[in-house]
Amino acid sequence: DDGLRMNAVTVRYGSTTVLSEVDLEVPRGEVLAVLGPSGCGKSTLLRTVAGLESLAAGEVRFDGRDLSGVPVHRRGFGMVFQDGQLFGHRDVAGNVEFALRMRGVGRKRRRAEVDRLLDLVGLAGYQRRRVRQLSGGQAQRVALARALAAEPRMLLLDEPLSGLDRALRDRLTVDLARLLSAEDSPTAVMVTHDLDEAFALADRVAVLHEGRVLQTDEPRRLWRAP
Ligand code: ADP
Ligand code: ADP
C-alpha cells in the first residue's frame, strides 16, 4: 500500500464540481502524468494532493495513511508549481539552502548539498547568481533543486517544462527523466498538457476531462492523434 492513492475524490468550487470521483494510484517511486486540456482540473488535482483544497467527498492516502487533517507542511511533499515561488532577495544557493536548513542540516553539509543539488539540475557554478537574473528555465531548475533538497516523499510538479523554449525544454526533460527514474527517487505526480512531456517522464498517464479520469495507462498504450 505504498505510494499515493486517491479514492473517489470530489472537489467543488461553490456549486461547480471541478474534480468528480477521481480514483488514482501512484505506487512508490513511480511517476504519474496527469494530462488534459486547460480547465479540466489538473492543477486542482495537484493542489488537492498537496493539501491545499478541501474534499467534498473521497479520500487521499499516502503510504496507507489517510491524509485528511494532515496540513500541507506536514505531508512532506515537494511542490514545483508554476512561477514565483523562489525567494527573489536570495541568491540561488540561498534558495536551495533554505530547504536544507528547514530539515536541520548543519552548515557544512548544507554547502555540500547545495553544490550537489545544483549539479544535479545542471546549474553547477550558479550558487551566487541572483534569482532575478535567471532565465525561466533556470528558475524552474532552482525550484526543482529546492524541492529535492527537502527530501520529499512525493514530488508534485505543475507543468514543470511549460513556457520554456524548445532547446531548454528538451534539455530539462532529459534531466528530469534521469532524476525521476533514479533509485530511491520520490513518487511523483506531474501535471501537463503536453503529450510528449508525459511520454518522456511518466510511468503512467491519467487523462482528465472535465474533472473525471477518462483513462489511466502506460504512455505507449495511449491513443495518439495521427
Ligand atoms: P487545469 O489545471 O486543468 O487548467 P484547474 O484545476 O486550474 O484546471 O481548473 C479547473 C476548473 O476549476 C476550471 O473550470 C477553473 O475555472 C475552475 N477553478 C479553478 N480555480 C478556481 C477557484 N478558485 N474558484 C472557482 N473556480 C475555479
Ligand atoms: P541567510 O543569509 O539567509 O541568513 P546564512 O547566513 O545561513 O543564510 O547563509 C546562507 C548563505 O550562504 C546563502 O545565502 C548563500 O549565499 C551562501 N551559500 C550557501 N551554500 C553555498 C554554496 N554551496 N556555495 C556558495 N554559497 C553558499
Side-chain angles (χ1 to χ4, degrees):
D1 214 17
D2 276 357
L4 177 74
R5 236 196 134 96
M6 298 178 82
N7 294 324
V9 168
T10 296
V11 172
R12 296 197 181 94
Y13 291 131
S15 58
T16 311
T17 301
V18 180
L19 293 179
S20 187
E21 298 183 9
V22 168
D23 292 314
L24 283 176
E25 200 180 335
V26 192
R28 174 182 290 205
E30 285 205 358
V31 181
L32 174 78
V34 179
L35 202 71
S38 179
C40 71
K42 301 185 295 297
S43 296
T44 304
L45 189 148
L46 217 54
R47 291 168 52 79
T48 301
V49 175
L52 295 162
E53 303 282 354
S54 49
L55 311 189
E59 60 172 8
V60 179
R61 306 180 74 89
F62 191 79
D63 285 354
R65 188 169 164 220
D66 183 0
L67 292 182
S68 64
V70 181
V72 180
H73 63 279
R74 288 282 197 75
R75 296 191 178 199
F77 298 167
M79 298 176 243
V80 182
F81 287 1
Q82 278 173 289
D83 56 56
Q85 60 225 294
L86 296 176
F87 305 122
H89 63 287
R90 290 194 186 176
D91 58 16
V92 167
N95 269 271
V96 178
E97 214 211 348
F98 172 81
L100 296 166
R101 205 173 326 145
M102 291 294 103
R103 269 176 50 213
V105 176
R107 186 179 172 81
K108 229 174 142 181
R109 248 197 72 213
R110 286 209 301 269
R111 280 187 153 257
E113 270 295 282
V114 167
D115 294 350
R116 187 185 71 82
L117 288 162
L118 290 181
D119 209 29
L120 201 64
V121 298
L123 286 177
Y126 279 71
Q127 280 82 345
R128 291 295 177 192
R129 204 69 79 85
R130 292 276 123 204
V131 158
R132 272 188 261 279
Q133 292 166 350
L134 300 175
S135 72
Q138 290 167 342
Q140 262 159 305
R141 286 164 183 245
V142 175
L144 182 63
R146 196 179 64 180
L148 292 169
E151 293 198 340
R153 302 189 294 170
M154 184 157 64
L155 260 183
L156 304 174
L157 307 166
D158 194 352
E159 308 255 6
L161 305 177
S162 71
L164 308 181
D165 67 50
R166 176 104 222 159
L168 204 53
R169 206 168 59 219
D170 289 348
R171 224 167 68 205
L172 199 48
T173 302
V174 173
D175 292 343
L176 257 179
R178 186 167 36 97
L179 273 172
L180 294 175
S181 61
E183 206 169 329
D184 275 345
S185 66
T187 307
V189 180
M190 178 186 94
V191 150
T192 182
H193 58 255
D194 185 328
L195 201 51
D196 291 330
E197 207 170 295
F199 264 66
L201 299 172
D203 298 299
R204 294 177 75 78
V205 175
V207 180
L208 209 60
H209 181 72
E210 293 179 358
R212 289 178 182 276
V213 177
L214 286 189
Q215 185 186 4
T216 309
D217 220 329
E218 290 170 43
R220 65 189 172 86
R221 288 176 186 276
L222 288 180
W223 176 84
R224 251 193 131 169

PDB file of all heavy atoms in Angstrom, residues 13 16 18 36-45 53 158-159 191 208, ligand 1:
ATOM      1  N   TYR A  13     -15.909  23.939  -6.328  1.00  0.00           N
ATOM      2  CA  TYR A  13     -15.813  25.369  -6.056  1.00  0.00           C
ATOM      3  C   TYR A  13     -17.236  25.885  -6.087  1.00  0.00           C
ATOM      4  O   TYR A  13     -17.831  25.974  -7.159  1.00  0.00           O
ATOM      5  CB  TYR A  13     -14.973  26.093  -7.113  1.00  0.00           C
ATOM      6  CG  TYR A  13     -13.504  25.764  -7.067  1.00  0.00           C
ATOM      7  CD1 TYR A  13     -12.816  25.412  -8.219  1.00  0.00           C
ATOM      8  CD2 TYR A  13     -12.787  25.837  -5.877  1.00  0.00           C
ATOM      9  CE1 TYR A  13     -11.459  25.123  -8.187  1.00  0.00           C
ATOM     10  CE2 TYR A  13     -11.436  25.543  -5.833  1.00  0.00           C
ATOM     11  CZ  TYR A  13     -10.781  25.192  -6.987  1.00  0.00           C
ATOM     12  OH  TYR A  13      -9.445  24.903  -6.954  1.00  0.00           O
ATOM     13  N   THR A  16     -19.880  24.396  -8.528  1.00  0.00           N
ATOM     14  CA  THR A  16     -19.200  23.755  -9.654  1.00  0.00           C
ATOM     15  C   THR A  16     -18.346  22.591  -9.178  1.00  0.00           C
ATOM     16  O   THR A  16     -17.514  22.739  -8.284  1.00  0.00           O
ATOM     17  CB  THR A  16     -18.278  24.758 -10.375  1.00  0.00           C
ATOM     18  OG1 THR A  16     -19.005  25.948 -10.627  1.00  0.00           O
ATOM     19  CG2 THR A  16     -17.745  24.185 -11.674  1.00  0.00           C
ATOM     20  N   VAL A  18     -15.348  20.403  -9.738  1.00  0.00           N
ATOM     21  CA  VAL A  18     -14.104  20.535 -10.502  1.00  0.00           C
ATOM     22  C   VAL A  18     -13.379  19.194 -10.619  1.00  0.00           C
ATOM     23  O   VAL A  18     -12.762  18.892 -11.627  1.00  0.00           O
ATOM     24  CB  VAL A  18     -13.194  21.605  -9.868  1.00  0.00           C
ATOM     25  CG1 VAL A  18     -11.912  21.744 -10.650  1.00  0.00           C
ATOM     26  CG2 VAL A  18     -13.918  22.937  -9.814  1.00  0.00           C
ATOM     27  N   GLY A  36      -4.431  16.605 -19.869  1.00  0.00           N
ATOM     28  CA  GLY A  36      -5.775  17.043 -20.231  1.00  0.00           C
ATOM     29  C   GLY A  36      -5.775  18.505 -20.602  1.00  0.00           C
ATOM     30  O   GLY A  36      -4.832  19.229 -20.282  1.00  0.00           O
ATOM     31  N   PRO A  37      -6.852  18.946 -21.253  1.00  0.00           N
ATOM     32  CA  PRO A  37      -6.910  20.324 -21.726  1.00  0.00           C
ATOM     33  C   PRO A  37      -7.007  21.323 -20.580  1.00  0.00           C
ATOM     34  O   PRO A  37      -7.329  20.947 -19.442  1.00  0.00           O
ATOM     35  CB  PRO A  37      -8.177  20.355 -22.587  1.00  0.00           C
ATOM     36  CG  PRO A  37      -9.024  19.259 -22.038  1.00  0.00           C
ATOM     37  CD  PRO A  37      -8.068  18.198 -21.574  1.00  0.00           C
ATOM     38  N   SER A  38      -6.748  22.553 -20.892  1.00  0.00           N
ATOM     39  CA  SER A  38      -6.851  23.629 -19.919  1.00  0.00           C
ATOM     40  C   SER A  38      -8.245  23.638 -19.278  1.00  0.00           C
ATOM     41  O   SER A  38      -9.250  23.473 -19.965  1.00  0.00           O
ATOM     42  CB  SER A  38      -6.586  24.957 -20.644  1.00  0.00           C
ATOM     43  OG  SER A  38      -6.707  26.011 -19.745  1.00  0.00           O
ATOM     44  N   GLY A  39      -8.285  23.764 -17.972  1.00  0.00           N
ATOM     45  CA  GLY A  39      -9.561  23.859 -17.277  1.00  0.00           C
ATOM     46  C   GLY A  39     -10.161  22.530 -16.864  1.00  0.00           C
ATOM     47  O   GLY A  39     -11.241  22.491 -16.262  1.00  0.00           O
ATOM     48  N   CYS A  40      -9.475  21.410 -17.145  1.00  0.00           N
ATOM     49  CA  CYS A  40     -10.063  20.101 -16.842  1.00  0.00           C
ATOM     50  C   CYS A  40      -9.876  19.693 -15.381  1.00  0.00           C
ATOM     51  O   CYS A  40     -10.421  18.690 -14.942  1.00  0.00           O
ATOM     52  CB  CYS A  40      -9.502  19.025 -17.768  1.00  0.00           C
ATOM     53  SG  CYS A  40      -7.781  18.608 -17.434  1.00  0.00           S
ATOM     54  N   GLY A  41      -9.066  20.464 -14.642  1.00  0.00           N
ATOM     55  CA  GLY A  41      -8.927  20.177 -13.213  1.00  0.00           C
ATOM     56  C   GLY A  41      -7.555  19.688 -12.780  1.00  0.00           C
ATOM     57  O   GLY A  41      -7.375  19.254 -11.634  1.00  0.00           O
ATOM     58  N   LYS A  42      -6.576  19.756 -13.664  1.00  0.00           N
ATOM     59  CA  LYS A  42      -5.238  19.223 -13.359  1.00  0.00           C
ATOM     60  C   LYS A  42      -4.605  19.905 -12.143  1.00  0.00           C
ATOM     61  O   LYS A  42      -4.136  19.239 -11.229  1.00  0.00           O
ATOM     62  CB  LYS A  42      -4.305  19.396 -14.574  1.00  0.00           C
ATOM     63  CG  LYS A  42      -4.780  18.703 -15.841  1.00  0.00           C
ATOM     64  CD  LYS A  42      -3.757  18.811 -16.947  1.00  0.00           C
ATOM     65  CE  LYS A  42      -3.505  20.231 -17.434  1.00  0.00           C
ATOM     66  NZ  LYS A  42      -4.681  20.885 -18.030  1.00  0.00           N
ATOM     67  N   SER A  43      -4.601  21.237 -12.172  1.00  0.00           N
ATOM     68  CA  SER A  43      -3.973  21.960 -11.056  1.00  0.00           C
ATOM     69  C   SER A  43      -4.726  21.710  -9.760  1.00  0.00           C
ATOM     70  O   SER A  43      -4.116  21.574  -8.690  1.00  0.00           O
ATOM     71  CB  SER A  43      -3.940  23.464 -11.339  1.00  0.00           C
ATOM     72  OG  SER A  43      -3.128  23.715 -12.449  1.00  0.00           O
ATOM     73  N   THR A  44      -6.029  21.638  -9.859  1.00  0.00           N
ATOM     74  CA  THR A  44      -6.834  21.363  -8.673  1.00  0.00           C
ATOM     75  C   THR A  44      -6.477  19.997  -8.091  1.00  0.00           C
ATOM     76  O   THR A  44      -6.372  19.839  -6.872  1.00  0.00           O
ATOM     77  CB  THR A  44      -8.339  21.423  -9.015  1.00  0.00           C
ATOM     78  OG1 THR A  44      -8.621  22.708  -9.582  1.00  0.00           O
ATOM     79  CG2 THR A  44      -9.194  21.211  -7.781  1.00  0.00           C
ATOM     80  N   LEU A  45      -6.263  19.041  -8.982  1.00  0.00           N
ATOM     81  CA  LEU A  45      -5.893  17.702  -8.518  1.00  0.00           C
ATOM     82  C   LEU A  45      -4.571  17.750  -7.739  1.00  0.00           C
ATOM     83  O   LEU A  45      -4.449  17.181  -6.657  1.00  0.00           O
ATOM     84  CB  LEU A  45      -5.781  16.767  -9.718  1.00  0.00           C
ATOM     85  CG  LEU A  45      -5.613  15.278  -9.416  1.00  0.00           C
ATOM     86  CD1 LEU A  45      -6.276  14.454 -10.506  1.00  0.00           C
ATOM     87  CD2 LEU A  45      -4.164  14.869  -9.292  1.00  0.00           C
ATOM     88  N   GLU A  53      -6.643  22.000  -1.002  1.00  0.00           N
ATOM     89  CA  GLU A  53      -8.079  22.058  -1.300  1.00  0.00           C
ATOM     90  C   GLU A  53      -8.811  21.174  -0.298  1.00  0.00           C
ATOM     91  O   GLU A  53      -8.256  20.180   0.163  1.00  0.00           O
ATOM     92  CB  GLU A  53      -8.367  21.518  -2.708  1.00  0.00           C
ATOM     93  CG  GLU A  53      -7.631  22.203  -3.830  1.00  0.00           C
ATOM     94  CD  GLU A  53      -8.257  23.541  -4.189  1.00  0.00           C
ATOM     95  OE1 GLU A  53      -9.333  23.876  -3.647  1.00  0.00           O
ATOM     96  OE2 GLU A  53      -7.650  24.251  -5.012  1.00  0.00           O
ATOM     97  N   ASP A 158       3.817  20.997 -11.374  1.00  0.00           N
ATOM     98  CA  ASP A 158       2.776  21.606 -12.207  1.00  0.00           C
ATOM     99  C   ASP A 158       3.401  22.185 -13.467  1.00  0.00           C
ATOM    100  O   ASP A 158       4.081  23.208 -13.399  1.00  0.00           O
ATOM    101  CB  ASP A 158       2.051  22.709 -11.426  1.00  0.00           C
ATOM    102  CG  ASP A 158       0.752  23.120 -12.115  1.00  0.00           C
ATOM    103  OD1 ASP A 158       0.506  22.666 -13.253  1.00  0.00           O
ATOM    104  OD2 ASP A 158      -0.005  23.890 -11.511  1.00  0.00           O
ATOM    105  N   GLU A 159       3.186  21.516 -14.581  1.00  0.00           N
ATOM    106  CA  GLU A 159       3.730  21.961 -15.871  1.00  0.00           C
ATOM    107  C   GLU A 159       5.193  22.372 -15.736  1.00  0.00           C
ATOM    108  O   GLU A 159       5.546  23.518 -16.045  1.00  0.00           O
ATOM    109  CB  GLU A 159       2.922  23.166 -16.393  1.00  0.00           C
ATOM    110  CG  GLU A 159       1.427  22.928 -16.417  1.00  0.00           C
ATOM    111  CD  GLU A 159       0.883  22.693 -17.815  1.00  0.00           C
ATOM    112  OE1 GLU A 159       1.689  22.596 -18.760  1.00  0.00           O
ATOM    113  OE2 GLU A 159      -0.342  22.583 -17.948  1.00  0.00           O
ATOM    114  N   VAL A 191       1.689  17.391 -13.685  1.00  0.00           N
ATOM    115  CA  VAL A 191       0.578  17.868 -14.487  1.00  0.00           C
ATOM    116  C   VAL A 191       1.119  18.456 -15.779  1.00  0.00           C
ATOM    117  O   VAL A 191       2.119  19.168 -15.766  1.00  0.00           O
ATOM    118  CB  VAL A 191      -0.201  18.931 -13.683  1.00  0.00           C
ATOM    119  CG1 VAL A 191      -0.836  19.936 -14.582  1.00  0.00           C
ATOM    120  CG2 VAL A 191      -1.223  18.264 -12.780  1.00  0.00           C
ATOM    121  N   LEU A 208      -7.446  13.376 -17.942  1.00  0.00           N
ATOM    122  CA  LEU A 208      -8.525  14.035 -17.212  1.00  0.00           C
ATOM    123  C   LEU A 208      -9.391  14.827 -18.190  1.00  0.00           C
ATOM    124  O   LEU A 208      -8.876  15.486 -19.098  1.00  0.00           O
ATOM    125  CB  LEU A 208      -7.899  14.985 -16.180  1.00  0.00           C
ATOM    126  CG  LEU A 208      -8.639  15.289 -14.893  1.00  0.00           C
ATOM    127  CD1 LEU A 208      -8.886  14.022 -14.104  1.00  0.00           C
ATOM    128  CD2 LEU A 208      -7.817  16.260 -14.041  1.00  0.00           C
TER     129      LEU A 208
HETATM  130  P1  ADP B   1      -6.333  22.989 -15.259  1.00  0.00           P
HETATM  131  O1  ADP B   1      -5.181  22.984 -14.319  1.00  0.00           O
HETATM  132  O2  ADP B   1      -6.581  21.668 -15.910  1.00  0.00           O
HETATM  133  O3  ADP B   1      -6.242  24.083 -16.278  1.00  0.00           O
HETATM  134  P2  ADP B   1      -7.836  23.906 -12.963  1.00  0.00           P
HETATM  135  O4  ADP B   1      -7.715  22.859 -11.950  1.00  0.00           O
HETATM  136  O5  ADP B   1      -6.953  25.108 -12.831  1.00  0.00           O
HETATM  137  O6  ADP B   1      -7.651  23.260 -14.417  1.00  0.00           O
HETATM  138  O7  ADP B   1      -9.326  24.421 -13.038  1.00  0.00           O
HETATM  139  C1  ADP B   1     -10.409  23.518 -13.171  1.00  0.00           C
HETATM  140  C2  ADP B   1     -11.708  24.299 -13.180  1.00  0.00           C
HETATM  141  O8  ADP B   1     -11.920  24.900 -11.918  1.00  0.00           O
HETATM  142  C3  ADP B   1     -11.765  25.405 -14.208  1.00  0.00           C
HETATM  143  O9  ADP B   1     -13.041  25.410 -14.748  1.00  0.00           O
HETATM  144  C4  ADP B   1     -11.499  26.642 -13.399  1.00  0.00           C
HETATM  145  O10 ADP B   1     -12.136  27.738 -13.990  1.00  0.00           O
HETATM  146  C5  ADP B   1     -12.098  26.288 -12.058  1.00  0.00           C
HETATM  147  N1  ADP B   1     -11.418  26.951 -10.934  1.00  0.00           N
HETATM  148  C6  ADP B   1     -10.117  26.867 -10.635  1.00  0.00           C
HETATM  149  N2  ADP B   1      -9.829  27.541  -9.515  1.00  0.00           N
HETATM  150  C7  ADP B   1     -10.998  28.084  -9.099  1.00  0.00           C
HETATM  151  C8  ADP B   1     -11.383  28.904  -7.979  1.00  0.00           C
HETATM  152  N3  ADP B   1     -10.504  29.284  -7.057  1.00  0.00           N
HETATM  153  N4  ADP B   1     -12.687  29.250  -7.883  1.00  0.00           N
HETATM  154  C9  ADP B   1     -13.577  28.849  -8.788  1.00  0.00           C
HETATM  155  N5  ADP B   1     -13.289  28.090  -9.842  1.00  0.00           N
HETATM  156  C10 ADP B   1     -12.016  27.703 -10.002  1.00  0.00           C
END
